[in-house]
Amino acid sequence: MSNHLALIQQTQSLIAAGDIVGAEYALAELADTEGDHALMEVIAQLPSKDVLAVIREYDSSRDSVVNLLVTPAQFARALVLEKQYKDLTHTHLRGMVNGIIFRDGADPLEFLEAIGNLEGGSEALANYFAEKWSRIEAFARTGHFDTIEDDGDLLSDDELRASAYVRPHITQEEVADSDWMELAWLLRYECRDLFIEMLLVLRAKARAHDLGLGDDEEAEEDDGKFETRDTDRGKATPVARDPDEELAI
């Protein structure tokens, strides 16, 4: 156990220094020498922000042992913190979600249930779908993702809730892309309440954007601040930092 404590401290130090690759390598070495169970014990003891720092560096060209072993509850706790990186393109968010929720042998619904049980879960999903808002609205209204089939009117909040239990127009197999379409399908037909909550948050974000309000205004309510510095393999997506920490740097 003492070795594990030393590894936890090493991992946190590497993450704080921006060496995400080094942190992940140290964790992978533990799995190689002591097995997956030992790594799972270490992941369980890492703060969620540090788990996030590693898993958001998803790379489809290789397997990450951390991504393969993180549990739905651990993933959900990390996911709700992701907005603090202020990645306006949400590229890391989408890669991380797709790579973990749709990993081999995983049950995506377990992950969605864990996300839905946390405050901030629906907002994280709204950020995931932010660039697909019009197509998600079309899907909510017509059951298809093609915006051409939508007449342009949004369902009211009451109509959205009333439409929750309509039968699917397309099957999951037709959208089984391990990407946003399949995730939207699972949400609408398997996690209906979470889909509605996510879409209402997404609408609120769209309205705020139209009013010229950005994420900065929303972020002012967040108290949690990351201590990590450069991430994204050494090229930082800025994280929210404590002003005192900025001065210290």
Side-chain angles (χ1 to χ4, degrees):
M1 187 63 184
S2 59
N3 290 337
H4 291 179
L5 291 175
L7 175 62
I8 290 169
Q9 293 174 349
Q10 177 192 10
T11 301
Q12 291 186 271
S13 296
L14 289 168
I15 291 171
D19 187 0
I20 309 303
V21 175
E24 185 176 10
Y25 180 78
L27 294 171
E29 271 198 322
L30 174 65
D32 289 340
T33 57
E34 298 187 33
D36 291 350
H37 183 71
L39 177 56
M40 292 177 72
E41 288 183 350
V42 167
I43 294 174
Q45 296 178 71
L46 283 172
S48 296
K49 66 181 181 61
D50 291 334
V51 175
L52 172 62
V54 175
I55 64 177
R56 77 187 297 271
E57 295 299 326
Y58 174 73
D59 183 349
S60 60
S61 66
R62 62 178 181 81
D63 288 331
S64 164
V65 67
V66 179
N67 286 16
L68 292 173
L69 295 178
V70 67
T71 68
Q74 291 164 347
F75 176 71
R77 289 194 294 269
L79 181 68
V80 298
L81 300 176
E82 207 280 338
K83 68 177 183 178
Q84 296 183 38
Y85 278 89
K86 302 186 184 302
D87 177 11
L88 299 181
T89 67
H90 305 301
T91 301
H92 287 269
L93 173 63
R94 289 193 300 273
M96 175 180 69
V97 170
N98 292 345
I100 293 178
I101 287 183
F102 293 113
R103 72 191 184 194
D104 289 343
D107 181 354
L109 296 181
E110 290 184 0
F111 285 91
L112 292 176
E113 181 180 359
I115 293 168
N117 287 337
L118 285 184
E119 182 179 355
S122 58
E123 182 182 3
L125 291 173
N127 288 335
Y128 172 93
F129 288 111
E131 282 70 35
K132 306 294 182 183
W133 176 50
S134 63
R135 299 187 70 179
I136 296 299
E137 287 286 3
F139 182 52
R141 181 178 179 82
T142 70
H144 296 275
F145 291 103
D146 191 345
T147 56
I148 295 176
E149 298 187 30
D150 195 358
D151 63 9
D153 294 328
L154 301 184
L155 293 176
S156 69
D157 292 359
D158 290 339
E159 289 171 334
L160 179 61
R161 294 186 178 93
S163 70
Y165 291 90
V166 298
R167 296 181 62 182
H169 291 279
I170 54 179
T171 66
Q172 183 180 354
E173 288 72 22
E174 292 178 85
V175 292
D177 58 356
S178 298
D179 202 348
W180 68 272
M181 283 189 182
E182 185 171 7
L183 189 61
W185 193 99
L186 288 170
L187 281 169
R188 186 180 184 197
Y189 298 119
E190 301 290 347
C191 306
R192 293 172 171 85
D193 291 341
L194 182 56
F195 176 76
I196 292 170
E197 186 177 348
M198 177 279 297
L199 186 51
L200 293 177
V201 174
L202 193 53
R203 288 177 175 181
K205 286 179 174 291
R207 286 194 295 269
H209 182 270
D210 289 343
L211 292 172
L213 302 177
D215 289 340
D216 288 341
E217 285 82 353
E218 296 178 2
E220 288 177 359
E221 301 177 2
D222 298 330
D223 293 326
K225 304 296 183 182
F226 285 158
E227 298 173 1
T228 50
R229 297 186 181 184
D230 287 354
T231 59
D232 303 354
R233 307 202 181 281
K235 303 295 185 180
T237 299
V239 300
R241 246 191 226 137
D242 192 300
D244 293 336
E245 182 185 351
E246 292 283 3
L247 291 174
I249 295 172

